[in-house]
Amino acid sequence: MTAQPIDGNALAAKLRAHMATEVAALAAQGHTPGLTVLLVGEDPASQVYVRNKVKACEAIGMASRLERHPADMSEAALLARIQELNADPSVHGILVQLPLPKHLNADLVIETIAPEKDVDGFHIASAGALMVGQPGFKPCTPYGCMKMLEDIGCNPRGKHAVVIGRSNIVGKPMALLLLQASATVTICHSATPNLAELARQADILVAAVGRPRFVTADMVKPGAVVLDVGINRLPDGKLCGDVDFDAVKDVAGWITPVPGGVGPMTITMLLQNTLEAAQRRAST
Ligand code: GUN
């Protein structure tokens, strides 16, 4: 192995310990940061995710509430509940867990969240703010990736960053954050004919494709920083990323493992966004 591993668990623990002191300071002023998570239906994976989010909030002293609603909840009832939470000063962040049951319009639901409480960074106002470089909430996974680069001392300025994947949640905001940090950015996706060739030019390679071990060693420039956003479940039940870790670790300079890489950073940045929401509210 030549690559240095980027330990997401260690960085997450360091950032969360620091946040806990800021949460305590806000709480002492009567502004305990609060996150409300809305779960509609019984999707088993979503149940695990929301439980982890709520537990992570509690662990650093935030006030966190999980609201479970039945799968047949009407859209009108969900929108009305979000509007109540928008108006509740004890709630600084609102997160509606996705995917939603099919009869609910997820875009409309997300747009109903007040932008100043959109700690997922999924609202059009958050996406627009990121696009034009104004303050707003950044989507948690790409935000976590940027923190990892900072932690290893990798300044994207002047580097070639290649992002594989163009989702609204990871690929597109990742590319915008790297661009904001003055990288030259290429976005590759399923219709990119020379993807391997482009990936090989990357000083920073971000894999967010959702296909197990998609990035192979021949697609990586020696010494590159490789961030693996993928979490794929293999037939034997094991988790694996979008990067062929065992092969790529012999080529890359830095690499995130799966699990224990980008994953722990996503919830960490949700906590960071919720803390920032409470700090902004406390200073108004
Ligand atoms: N479902 C899977 N990941 C996420 C996330 O980060 N936020 C929300 N709201 N739903 C999700």
Side-chain angles (χ1 to χ4, degrees):
M1 168 140 176
T2 56
Q4 301 202 52
I6 308 177
D7 185 341
N9 283 318
L11 178 56
K14 184 171 82 177
L15 294 174
R16 291 184 199 198
H18 178 68
M19 278 187 253
T21 62
E22 299 200 32
V23 170
L26 274 172
Q29 299 164 32
H31 297 290
T32 303
L35 173 72
T36 296
V37 178
L38 301 176
L39 176 62
V40 184
E42 316 262 313
D43 180 73
S46 290
Q47 303 217 28
V48 175
Y49 294 146
V50 295
R51 224 177 295 132
N52 288 340
K53 290 172 186 178
V54 168
K55 269 199 268 178
C57 282
E58 287 166 353
I60 62 163
M62 287 184 177
S64 162
R65 251 181 326 195
L66 171 58
E67 285 192 14
R68 293 168 182 278
H69 295 282
D72 63 356
M73 181 186 210
S74 74
E75 191 169 274
L78 179 56
L79 299 185
R81 182 62 193 134
I82 291 171
Q83 274 153 358
E84 282 172 7
L85 295 168
N86 285 344
D88 181 341
S90 73
V91 174
H92 302 97
I94 302 168
L95 184 151
V96 179
Q97 186 66 22
L98 301 176
L100 285 169
K102 291 217 163 22
H103 68 285
L104 299 171
N105 177 344
D107 290 336
L108 178 61
V109 168
I110 300 298
E111 298 332 322
T112 303
I113 297 171
E116 67 272 18
K117 300 192 179 190
D118 172 41
V119 288
D120 253 334
F122 291 174
H123 195 287
I124 282 179
S126 304
L130 180 59
M131 176 82 189
V132 296
Q134 283 188 18
F137 293 112
K138 304 172 191 74
C140 301
T141 300
Y143 191 9
C145 287
M146 294 304 288
K147 282 278 173 196
M148 291 180 121
L149 292 178
E150 186 187 318
D151 191 60
I152 63 167
C154 174
N155 182 352
R157 184 175 189 83
K159 303 227 165 63
H160 187 189
V162 175
V163 178
I164 312 177
R166 53 172 158 176
S167 71
N168 289 335
I169 293 177
V170 182
K172 282 189 227 169
M174 185 76 243
L176 286 169
L177 287 169
L178 288 161
L179 183 62
Q180 209 170 64
S182 299
T184 301
V185 182
T186 301
I187 306 175
C188 297
H189 48 78
S190 52
T192 304
N194 54 341
L195 193 149
E197 188 188 315
L198 290 165
R200 242 188 332 268
Q201 294 170 22
D203 304 305
I204 298 167
L205 182 62
V206 183
V209 215
R211 285 171 61 181
R213 302 189 186 116
F214 179 84
V215 174
T216 47
D218 59 303
M219 293 163 68
V220 177
K221 177 169 158 177
V225 177
V226 179
L227 303 179
D228 188 351
V229 176
I231 302 180
N232 307 290
R233 179 91 48 197
L234 296 172
D236 66 4
K238 287 202 184 113
L239 289 180
C240 95
D242 290 351
V243 175
D244 182 356
F245 183 91
D246 287 337
V248 171
K249 71 177 179 1
D250 293 330
V251 182
W254 294 87
I255 187 169
T256 60
V258 176
V262 175
M265 293 301 293
T266 296
I267 293 189
T268 303
M269 303 327 290
L270 172 68
L271 301 175
Q272 177 68 38
N273 279 344
T274 305
L275 175 62
E276 283 174 25
Q279 282 168 334
R280 284 183 209 164
R281 166 110 204 149
S283 64
T284 56

